[in-house]
Structures are given as structure tokens and as C-alpha cells.
Amino acid sequence: MRIAVSSDMDEPVARLLVAELRGRGHEVLTHGALRPGDDPQWAVCSAAAARDVADGAADQAVVCCWTGTGASIAANKVPGVRAALCTDAYTADGARRWNDANVLALSLRLTSEPLLKEILDAWFTGTPSEDPEDRGNVSRVAGLDDDRSSR
């Protein structure tokens, strides 16, 4: 799987994330502080990684900033992206299952190495629900992108 990764800071957990994804056999596209010469501003690099997903250059993305909040907000501004800030494995599983999230947002401050691995395990083993109510909600969210672009 091709995964876009962005971080606004070159922190140990961000480097570990890239190494962990590569170790799991994923191709990693880096943005922000993880790519020399790239703009590390969280709004810029998170949107770039999210655009990789929306444009089909990446299957999924992981966006990081100190709290994860700004990265998730920026990613969610990209039409077609459903970014979820996940601070534990249960939330990551639910984001994939009920929200069909395609971008994982992480906090550089809160995410330890063991927690990172648990979150990634849950994210990559989680599959989108086929329940009609869940699919309906995901479709409604996609419609919000259309509402935004028609203003």
C-alpha cells in the first residue's frame, strides 16, 4: 500500500512512523519536516498528504503535528478525505470501521512507540463497515464536500 506521511516537526515518533510503515511493507511518500526542503507548516504538509489520497497518489495518509488536531483539521479540508485523530487503538479501529477514514492523524506529543504500533495495527486491520447505516453516514459526509464546493 502507498501511504503519504506528513509531520510538521522531525520528531522521533515521526521517524519511527516512517520506519514502521516501511517495515510493514508499505511505500511511504513523505511531506513536511520529513522531506528535506519541503514546507513543514502543519497546514501545508497535512494538506499535501491528504491531497495525495484524494488524487489517488496514495491509498491512505498519516498526518502528524504536536497535538494532531491541526493536522486533522487541515487534512479534512481536502474534499474526499476523512481524517480521524486517533490517540488509541480502539479509536483507530472505529475510525476505519464506522467512518471509513482514509487519513490517520496522530499527536507527536502523546504517541509513544508501543502506542504507535497498537494504533497502526488497529488502523490497518480495521475494515470499513458494510452496515447500511454506516455507509449512509459516510455518503452524507461525502455530500458535505459537494456542499462546500458549491458555495
Side-chain angles (χ1 to χ4, degrees):
M1 188 179 298
R2 185 176 292 165
I3 311 290
V5 176
S6 71
S7 181
D8 65 339
M9 293 184 284
D10 185 8
E11 290 287 315
V13 71
R15 290 190 302 274
L16 177 64
L17 168 63
V18 170
E20 183 69 23
L21 290 171
R22 287 182 175 143
R24 292 173 183 232
H26 300 293
E27 179 182 347
V28 178
L29 310 172
T30 57
H31 295 280
L34 301 171
R35 180 193 226 167
D38 212 12
D39 190 335
Q41 301 277 333
W42 59 260
V44 174
C45 65
S46 298
R51 272 193 302 279
D52 282 349
V53 174
D55 296 344
D59 301 298
Q60 295 182 4
V62 183
V63 296
C64 306
C65 69
W66 193 242
T67 65
T69 305
S72 66
I73 290 169
N76 275 317
K77 291 292 186 177
V78 177
V81 166
R82 292 172 305 284
L85 174 55
C86 298
T87 56
D88 58 59
Y90 183 80
T91 305
D93 176 67
R96 290 287 299 133
R97 182 180 314 165
W98 300 307
N99 310 124
D100 194 6
N102 52 10
V103 174
L104 170 63
L106 295 174
S107 166
L108 294 170
R109 184 179 80 79
L110 295 176
T111 309
S112 65
E113 180 176 348
L115 183 58
L116 174 66
K117 291 178 180 182
E118 290 174 10
I119 290 170
L120 293 176
D121 287 345
W123 182 266
F124 288 115
T125 59
T127 56
S129 169
E130 294 301 324
D131 179 87
E133 184 176 337
D134 295 333
R135 298 311 314 157
N137 276 314
V138 171
S139 293
R140 285 180 192 88
V141 169
L144 296 174
D145 289 336
D146 297 336
D147 290 347
R148 187 177 0 180
S149 64
S150 66
R151 290 183 196 168

